Amino acid sequence: MKLRVLLVDDECSARKELRYLLELFEDVQIVGEAANALEALELIYNLDYSVIFLDIAMLGLNGTDLTDLLREKLDSPTIILTTAQEEYASTFAFAVNAVDYLLKPIHPVRLEEALMKVRQLRDNLNASKNAPLLSDKSEAVTHPKPLEVVPVEQRDKIILLHPNDIIFIYTDKENVYIKTQKDAYLTRFTLRELELRLNSTLFFRSHRCYLVNIRRMQELIPYFNGTYNIVVDDDVRSKIPMSRTKTRIFKEMLGL
């Protein structure tokens, strides 16, 4: 099976050179190219890729920002970093769990070594998938169904909340709570489960601990080191943190 490759680099000449080198390998198929991290993210969530050749330094969201977002995706592609910054290459590669890094201009021998690591990793994963199971029962992997209503708990009863009534969702230690205009309810869902099952055009993951209804946002207030606080329209005008990476993505969404 061929390695399905995505090239991500804001320099067209760099993508062209890497494409030329990769076309020499019979088991490599270049499926897509992206000039920035947001383009890459859209491609990754619409097509399956085996490998991403990812430039670290790009305008807007950089390579490390993209890898942070990919941590939340199941079956994320293998990452090979490309960079001209030799002094930071190994540190970045370790931080984002890349299988290898390539210094620009890319040498064909180093490229072949990186691809060998990818092939070995795939072989190991396939071997583990084909290993005999302890039980002969298997369940098909299915995508979670969207939630039309969200069950929450209040004393001895279960309340069904409509997503439009949810202002934000947050974690507090081991528990997950859903905030409406005046109340906060405990839910048995995890934050990740709610992110997957609620409308992604309505709810935005602003922070690892918060999921916010976009329609209930009122203000964005600069906070610290490129981050923002979101003011929402609940009864106390709560302030929701937005991480630096999520701030960049949200600004792109708003065209700012």
Side-chain angles (χ1 to χ4, degrees), residues 3-238:
L3 299 175
R4 294 167 56 84
V5 170
L6 173 65
L7 309 181
V8 185
D9 198 307
D10 57 359
E11 294 184 4
C12 180
S13 58
R15 298 198 308 272
K16 184 177 180 180
E17 175 65 18
L18 184 51
R19 173 181 282 273
Y20 170 77
L21 293 174
L22 287 170
E23 286 174 348
L24 301 176
F25 296 90
E26 293 183 356
D27 66 338
V28 171
Q29 179 184 9
I30 301 171
V31 181
E33 294 187 20
N36 58 61
L38 286 177
E39 285 182 12
L41 196 62
E42 183 175 357
L43 290 172
I44 292 164
Y45 273 88
N46 283 282
L47 290 174
D48 292 327
Y49 296 92
S50 312
V51 189
I52 305 175
F53 285 86
L54 178 61
D55 183 31
I56 294 175
M58 294 184 291
L59 296 176
L61 295 181
N62 59 36
T64 54
D65 292 330
L66 178 59
T67 58
D68 286 341
L69 298 174
L70 289 180
R71 293 182 200 276
E72 302 174 3
K73 184 180 185 301
L74 298 176
D75 298 326
S76 293
T78 301
I79 295 171
I80 298 175
L81 294 182
T82 62
T83 181
Q85 303 172 356
E86 182 173 4
E87 64 273 27
Y88 303 120
S90 60
T91 302
F92 278 128
F94 177 80
V96 303
N97 198 29
V99 70
D100 205 348
Y101 64 88
L102 300 172
L103 298 176
K104 299 178 182 179
I106 296 171
H107 194 283
V109 173
R110 280 290 295 119
L111 177 58
E112 185 169 11
E113 290 175 352
L115 289 173
M116 283 294 293
K117 292 181 180 180
V118 174
R119 296 185 192 105
Q120 184 63 53
L121 180 62
R122 285 167 60 86
D123 289 344
N124 292 341
L125 288 174
N126 288 334
S128 64
K129 287 180 181 179
N130 294 329
L133 300 176
L134 295 178
S135 171
D136 57 357
K137 296 181 180 179
S138 61
E139 296 182 355
V141 177
T142 59
H143 295 288
K145 293 181 180 180
L147 287 172
E148 298 295 333
V149 292
V150 182
V152 295
E153 300 178 11
Q154 187 183 61
R155 292 185 288 276
D156 58 345
K157 61 183 177 180
I158 295 176
I159 297 174
L160 302 178
L161 294 179
H162 193 280
N164 287 335
D165 295 326
I166 298 172
I167 297 179
F168 64 93
I169 306 167
Y170 65 98
T171 59
D172 183 7
K173 297 180 181 178
E174 300 298 322
N175 296 320
V176 177
Y177 294 92
I178 294 179
K179 180 69 170 67
T180 60
Q181 183 67 31
K182 295 182 179 180
D183 298 299
Y185 300 94
L186 176 68
T187 177
R188 296 300 180 185
F189 287 107
T190 66
L191 197 63
R192 178 59 176 159
E193 287 172 337
L194 290 170
E195 182 183 14
L196 290 172
R197 298 185 64 178
L198 290 171
N199 187 344
S200 61
T201 63
L202 182 62
F203 288 89
F204 181 72
R205 185 75 174 264
S206 69
H207 184 277
R208 62 184 178 85
C209 297
Y210 288 87
L211 189 63
V212 189
N213 187 334
I214 295 174
R215 294 177 183 172
R216 308 305 292 266
M217 296 180 181
Q218 289 192 324
E219 298 176 21
L220 296 179
I221 302 175
Y223 182 55
F224 173 74
N225 196 24
T227 64
Y228 277 76
N229 280 330
I230 306 166
V231 178
V232 295
D233 66 347
D234 62 354
D235 57 335
V236 292
R237 287 177 54 84
S238 298

